């Protein structure tokens, strides 16, 4: 007998909104804001940016899952040459991070997200499992969720079991009473299934399923979310 779904958990980035343009805007806006304060900064190119991220994370593995700390460290490296001392640098790093984080929350929800959450929250407990650092309360959707778990909370990234286990701990549900929905084939779908949960793949761009396990149920927009009730 199939267990009744009691809890639905969701990914955020690329599941409720398109994160690519958001991060690009946050990055460019923060750089412009900073250079108006301190003058020209040597930001480098994408290759050097990725190399710096890798170098910093190799020195401090917590940066793989703590994006806020990683962002601050990048600002620290880039702003050190244009500041006059540790106190000024520390203050500017924090101001820069806060400015970036505000811009990071300037998202546009996919069509149908709010309507789906309003409806689902009536009939199920809802939670968030994200590898990112978006704050649901800053996005005015916190009222729909019982909890939100980030990588900082569990010191790991999906598809590791930390997020999924935390959801079970917070909800008191068994794994087979939980349905997870997200866009990433491995981090969301495989991670949830490996943890004993059910999963729906949010496949907005209708790309091919590339994993060895059978393709799960999928939705491509938030107006056809009622497939959830068929699984519940």
């Amino acid at each position: 007998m199939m267990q009744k779904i009691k809890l639905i958990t969701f990914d955020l980035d690329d599941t409720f909104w398109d994160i690519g343009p958001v991060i690009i805007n946050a990055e460019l806006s923060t750089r412009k804001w900073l250079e108006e304060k301190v003058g020209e900064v040597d930001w480098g190119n994408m290759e050097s940016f990725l190399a710096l991220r890798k170098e910093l994370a190799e020195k401090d593995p917590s940066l793989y899952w703590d994006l806020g700390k990683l962002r601050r460290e990048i600002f620290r490296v880039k702003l050190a040459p244009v500041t006059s001392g540790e106190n000024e640098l520390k203050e500017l790093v924090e101001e820069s991070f806060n400015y970036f984080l505000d811009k990071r929350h300037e998202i546009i929800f996919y069509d149908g997200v709010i309507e789906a959450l309003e409806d689902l929250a009536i009939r199920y407990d809802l939670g968030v499992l994200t590898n990112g650092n978006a704050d649901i309360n800053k996005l005015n959707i916190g009222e729909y969720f019982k909890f939100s778990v980030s990588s900082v909370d569990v010191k790991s990234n999906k598809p590791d079991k930390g997020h999924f286990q935390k959801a079970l701990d917070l909800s008191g549900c068994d794994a087979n009473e939980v349905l997870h929905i997200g866009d990433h084939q491995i981090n969301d779908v495989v991670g949830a299934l490996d943890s004993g949960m059910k999963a729906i793949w949010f496949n907005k761009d209708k790309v091919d399923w590339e994993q060895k396990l059978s393709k799960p149920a999928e939705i491509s927009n938030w107006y056809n979310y009622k497939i959830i009730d068929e699984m519940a």
Side-chain angles (χ1 to χ4, degrees), residues 9-10 12 127-132 134 136 147-156 158 162-168 170:
T9 58
F10 301 86
L12 292 177
V128 165
L129 305 178
T130 177
N131 283 352
I136 56 175
F147 60 82
S148 179
V149 178
S150 72
S151 292
V152 172
D153 294 323
V154 294
K155 297 180 171 54
S156 64
K158 296 176 294 180
H163 286 75
F164 305 105
Q165 184 57 53
K166 188 70 171 178
L168 300 182
L170 290 170

Side-chain angles (χ1 to χ4, degrees), residues 73-93:
E73 288 302 308
I74 290 171
F75 283 139
R76 173 175 287 277
V77 170
K78 295 299 184 181
L79 296 175
V82 297
T83 50
S84 58
E86 181 61 28
N87 288 340
E88 181 187 0
L89 176 59
K90 183 177 180 181
E91 183 176 335
L92 190 57
V93 165

Side-chain angles (χ1 to χ4, degrees), residues 14-33:
D14 288 330
T15 297
F16 284 168
W17 57 78
D18 186 355
I19 190 58
V22 175
I23 296 299
I24 290 171
N25 177 64
E27 188 75 50
L28 295 179
S29 297
T30 305
R31 291 182 181 188
K32 182 175 184 293
W33 175 81

